[in-house]
Amino acid sequence: MKILVTGGAGFIGSNFIFYMLKEHPEDSIICLDALTYAGNLSTLKPVLDDPRFRFVKADICDREKVYDLFESEKPDYVVHFAAESHVDRSIDDPGIFVKTNVLGTQVLIDACVKYGIKRFHHVSTDEVYGDLPLDRPDMFFVETLPLKASSPYSASKASSDLLVMSYHRTFGLDATLSRCSNNYGPYQFPEKMIPLMIANAMADKPLPVYGEGINVRDWLYVEDHCRAIDLILRKGRSGEVYNIGGHNEMRNIDIVKLICAELGKPESLITFVKDRKGHDMRYAIDPAKIHNELGWLPQTMFRDGIKKTIRWYLDNRSWWEEIVNGDYKEYYQKMYGNR
């Protein structure tokens, strides 16, 4: 099959491309990415010369370019990762989140309907459900819950979820949707919590933790997420939502302390800062549906995954240091500036 992956130069998208090319050598992939602040072409360096892979720089909101790409490449499937995804940035500038996450998604599904795509898979987030109380560990997010977004980011994702499902019902678009818990692993942009803490700890810089650090998240190693999406794409039921969770609930403060211990750094580096506006307290996913229907379960426990992640950042300092320094933006110009 030929798969169009949007946002493939980002964290989860790039890991998905690596996973698919490894697991399905008969498939080919086109990556569509605007290379905004979180998109890094150097991340895709291992596959840029692979004949099964093509990179296209374009904005999903650019209807003409998107339609031209569908016309020329004729993809069979679309996996849609491209999104503005950082909650703090959505509080500072909600408009770009609405534009990219809602209007950009509409452009893509319009193209899918127009060009008869076999399946559109929309990658969403557990944040669309709102949050859960800390004193109710028996409560989990299930697919039938109403959406209750807390931030402009999660509201824009909830809007795009509803839009995709409306196209399934109204236009007959073959669509599936997944909502995952917090991902971690290689190639995550350094402003996210885990890579930020790793990078700061390595440099003996303060480790900023919101509030008291008692917010709880369900953590999923990125390769487990990629495997789940692959299963949904090939075997999931059209029009269905699948929750993808790691059964790895951790308090933020405990993760930071674990990173300190793994790196041999003192906990005195931890600095508590003013809490985020509207900060959700707990996320926890029940992945029973994807397990029962498709046989998926996470294979990576958090303590194993965080060790692998820390080791990757130790072994790939140049990748994240270029981002921190802003040098990664020069990579695209070097690779494509004269083409």
Side-chain angles (χ1 to χ4, degrees), residues 9-73:
F11 165 44
I12 306 175
S14 62
N15 276 279
F16 180 73
I17 289 171
F18 299 149
Y19 176 87
M20 295 295 281
L21 290 175
K22 178 182 69 174
E23 296 294 324
H24 303 286
E26 72 282 3
D27 293 345
S28 60
I29 290 179
I30 310 109
C31 171
L32 174 65
D33 200 296
L35 295 181
T36 57
Y37 77 96
N40 185 354
L41 189 63
S42 66
T43 298
L44 296 170
K45 190 175 182 179
V47 298
L48 286 177
D49 294 326
D50 192 319
R52 299 170 297 159
F53 177 79
R54 181 191 171 197
F55 177 82
V56 177
K57 183 178 186 292
D59 189 332
I60 58 172
C61 296
D62 189 329
R63 188 174 293 269
E64 182 179 355
K65 286 186 178 179
V66 170
Y67 280 21
D68 286 346
L69 181 60
F70 274 71
E71 186 77 45
S72 62
E73 290 290 347

Side-chain angles (χ1 to χ4, degrees), residues 189-210:
F189 197 75
E191 74 180 1
K192 296 290 188 174
M193 189 186 84
I194 286 179
L196 175 65
M197 297 302 163
I198 294 171
N200 280 17
M202 288 170 63
D204 295 309
K205 293 181 178 179
L207 307 179
V209 175
Y210 282 130

